[in-house]
Amino acid sequence: AQTVTQSQPEMSVQEAETVTLSCTYDTSESDYYLFWYKQPPSRQMILVIRQEAYKQQNATENRFSVNFQKAAKSFSLKISDSQLGDAAMYFCAYRSVGGRWDDKIIFGKGTRLHILP
Amino acid sequence: GAGVSQTPSNKVTEKGKYVELRCDPISGHTALYWYRQSLGQGPEFLIYFQGTGAADDSGLPNDRFFAVRPEGSVSTLKIQRTERGDSAVYLCASSRDGYSNQPQHFGDGTRLSIL
């Protein structure tokens, strides 16, 4: 079974600085998707960034980028120029690639990110 | 609708009672998912519908939990004989067709509190 581990329950960063959130995962599959989701107090899970395992190039979305190390099964999220609106819970997540019946997303326990003004 | 809608937003009930939680997916989405998020944890998968049928219910914790999607759109998660351990946020998500390359869009969840 696949697992996702986030070892940092909480982190803080000064506004405008850069922060990196860590994630490791375990799988025997060779192809899969990895995600970072943001969950503000509104509870809605917002997709921040997605990485396909067969792509070697690290995904980027504006101020958000990942460092995907497939052999090490590591998937960290870097947030540049941190803003107050980035404060939230961040979840690392995994999903198998397959047909229509590959369904569930497996989430880590989350990292709460605080932005200090 | 524009997004996944879940009602009620909050539900407080007594131990032993029956509850129903509703999810209205994005119009046209055939795949629908329920997750449960306990305090301090990430969401955990409960059940996945493709159309009207439950394609995977392996995450339902026991037979007190049941979900339906009779017309392939709105889904209801039903919990019988509620226990305090059922207290959590119940999240619903939908995707266009269930293929893994399609993103899952989440609702705001229902916070269930069992007294």
Side-chain angles (χ1 to χ4, degrees):
Chain A
Q2 297 84 16
T3 59
V4 177
T5 301
Q6 294 178 252
S7 58
Q8 305 154 313
E10 290 194 59
M11 291 194 70
S12 297
V13 63
Q14 290 288 143
E15 193 176 3
E17 295 193 346
T18 296
V19 64
T20 298
L21 308 184
S22 300
C23 173
T24 59
Y25 60 95
D26 191 27
T27 183
S28 59
E29 298 175 333
S30 60
D31 202 8
Y32 44 86
Y33 293 100
L34 295 167
F35 310 89
W36 279 96
Y37 280 89
K38 172 185 178 181
Q39 187 178 43
S42 66
R43 300 196 301 249
Q44 187 180 33
M45 299 292 282
I46 301 166
L47 179 63
V48 174
I49 200 164
R50 182 176 91 163
Q51 175 79 42
E52 297 172 72
Y54 69 89
K55 291 185 176 179
Q56 294 188 350
Q57 186 173 6
N58 289 324
T60 63
E61 286 288 342
N62 301 312
R63 298 183 295 108
F64 299 87
S65 62
V66 298
N67 184 4
F68 173 47
Q69 301 290 327
K70 190 173 184 180
K73 296 181 181 174
S74 170
F75 184 62
S76 61
L77 174 70
K78 185 172 81 171
I79 306 174
S80 303
D81 185 26
S82 297
Q83 300 176 1
L84 294 176
D86 295 334
M89 282 291 288
Y90 285 82
F91 292 96
C92 180
Y94 173 104
R95 189 179 186 188
S96 298
V97 168
R100 200 176 196 185
W101 312 106
D102 287 300
D103 42 27
K104 64 181 72 67
I105 294 176
I106 299 167
F107 290 88
K109 290 189 175 183
T111 296
R112 182 171 299 282
L113 179 63
H114 303 276
I115 309 297
L116 307 175
Chain B
V4 177
S5 176
Q6 291 189 246
T7 54
S9 179
N10 294 280
K11 175 72 176 178
V12 180
T13 192
E14 294 180 344
K15 178 176 176 292
K17 298 292 188 182
Y18 169 82
V19 296
E20 290 189 352
L21 311 179
R22 176 187 167 108
C23 173
D24 202 339
I26 293 172
S27 178
H29 281 195
T30 63
L32 185 145
Y33 312 81
W34 284 99
Y35 294 83
R36 179 169 72 173
Q37 186 175 15
S38 300
L39 190 63
Q41 304 292 318
E44 293 179 315
F45 170 79
L46 294 177
I47 187 169
Y48 158 50
F49 286 91
Q50 185 58 246
T52 60
D56 182 354
D57 64 357
S58 63
L60 294 178
N62 52 59
D63 61 5
R64 295 187 298 105
F65 288 75
F66 189 71
V68 296
R69 195 185 185 200
E71 297 178 356
S73 56
V74 171
S75 176
T76 305
L77 179 65
K78 307 180 180 191
I79 311 175
Q80 299 177 322
R81 305 184 304 280
T82 51
E83 299 177 357
R84 292 197 177 90
D86 299 335
S87 296
V89 173
Y90 289 81
L91 293 167
C92 178
S94 71
S95 70
R96 194 177 71 188
D97 56 19
Y99 282 99
S100 55
N101 64 350
Q102 294 299 316
Q104 293 185 16
H105 302 268
F106 285 82
D108 289 346
T110 294
R111 182 179 299 280
L112 177 64
S113 301
I114 308 299
L115 303 179

